[in-house]
Amino acid sequence: MSTPFVSIIVPVLHDAPELARLLDALAAQGLSESGGGAARWEVIVANGDGEDTGIAALRRRSTGVCWVTSDPGRGRQMNAGARLARGDWLLFLHADTCPEPGWQAELRRIARDPGAVGGALRFTLRSAARRARLLERGVAWRVRWLGLPYGDQGIFVRRDVFEQVGGYRPLPLMEDVDLVRRVARRGRMAYPPAPIRVSPRRWERDGWVRRTAGNLLILALYALGIAPERLARVYYGGSARRAGRDASRPGAGVSCPG
């Protein structure tokens, strides 16, 4: 079996509808679920709830995807997926995002630079709202001047570098920023113009100003040294989703094609 160029790793926790749309979109771009074809991609889904019936139905449909169940928590789930990855590069995608066609060529171009160790795609919201364009410009500024992309931008990293830095730390929040900082010490970070479409559901649910201000506050507090555990209590509050992330339900199981 030949080695894929990139392994796409998607952590999910009660995200079956979003994951279904992402898998369909990747298939439409010519990324075979089985990783077949000349490009040799593979898709790995790391599920944080082995009892999720929606994910179980997707597993039966998407037999070409590699599935792994782990304890909940994005860092833990993405590490579980990375342990199964065979690609030279790892691309971590949130279920409610999707890279636009052309990202594959950009990543191959970046891979030819031996000094490039990782990076992220260009944040673009699936919204026609004017506030969405303002938010996109703000994210572009943060990435350009602070070098701090978030996980919803599709963080990519050379697999050997990911292993050298120890992967994601099991943090309840800011695990993406923590990883980017450690990877950036190993070489150059690349931020190609290839867009990744991000669902606006969080901003539409919480309010554009409130959500953006909250994110900036969390980043500022993190930069001041506030522990991610304390920040998570502020960010997630007492929501059911946070409870799901913090739960200690053991999970096991791997199912991969071939």
Side-chain angles (χ1 to χ4, degrees), residues 147-195:
L148 292 177
Y150 286 171
D152 56 7
Q153 289 181 242
I155 292 173
F156 53 84
V157 59
R158 290 187 188 270
R159 186 176 60 163
D160 57 347
V161 173
F162 182 82
E163 293 170 349
Q164 289 166 14
V165 302
Y168 282 94
R169 289 175 175 153
L171 303 175
L173 197 65
M174 307 304 288
E175 76 288 334
D176 44 5
V177 173
D178 173 77
L179 176 73
V180 165
R181 283 180 165 179
R182 288 182 287 122
V183 169
R185 299 188 190 113
R186 300 288 177 137
R188 187 177 69 83
M189 299 293 284
Y191 301 109

Side-chain angles (χ1 to χ4, degrees), residues 11-143:
V12 295
L13 186 64
H14 310 144
D15 295 314
E18 292 81 9
L19 177 61
R21 285 191 288 270
L22 173 59
L23 294 178
D24 288 344
L26 292 175
Q29 291 183 24
L31 302 184
S32 168
E33 287 183 342
S34 62
R40 298 305 303 169
W41 317 97
E42 67 176 356
V43 179
I44 302 169
V45 175
N47 180 23
D49 183 358
E51 299 180 358
D52 187 333
T53 57
I55 295 296
L58 275 178
R59 287 183 66 154
R60 290 190 294 270
R61 187 196 80 174
S62 305
T63 56
V65 172
C66 186
W67 300 85
V68 58
T69 304
S70 78
D71 288 342
R74 275 209 180 107
R76 287 188 291 269
Q77 291 171 236
M78 290 186 287
N79 284 340
R83 284 192 288 270
L84 298 177
R86 298 179 295 118
D88 295 325
W89 286 79
L90 308 177
L91 171 63
F92 297 95
L93 294 182
H94 290 185
D96 62 350
T97 71
C98 185
E100 289 288 288
W103 68 268
Q104 309 98 311
E106 289 284 356
L107 186 52
R108 284 194 177 277
R109 178 185 60 79
I110 292 166
R112 291 194 290 270
D113 177 359
V117 294
L121 303 176
R122 179 169 60 86
F123 177 88
T124 308
L125 282 167
R126 291 197 299 263
S127 171
R130 182 180 178 185
R131 291 180 178 181
R133 306 290 83 78
L134 295 174
L135 181 57
E136 290 165 0
R137 287 196 284 272
V139 170
W141 184 93
R142 167 167 49 80
V143 172

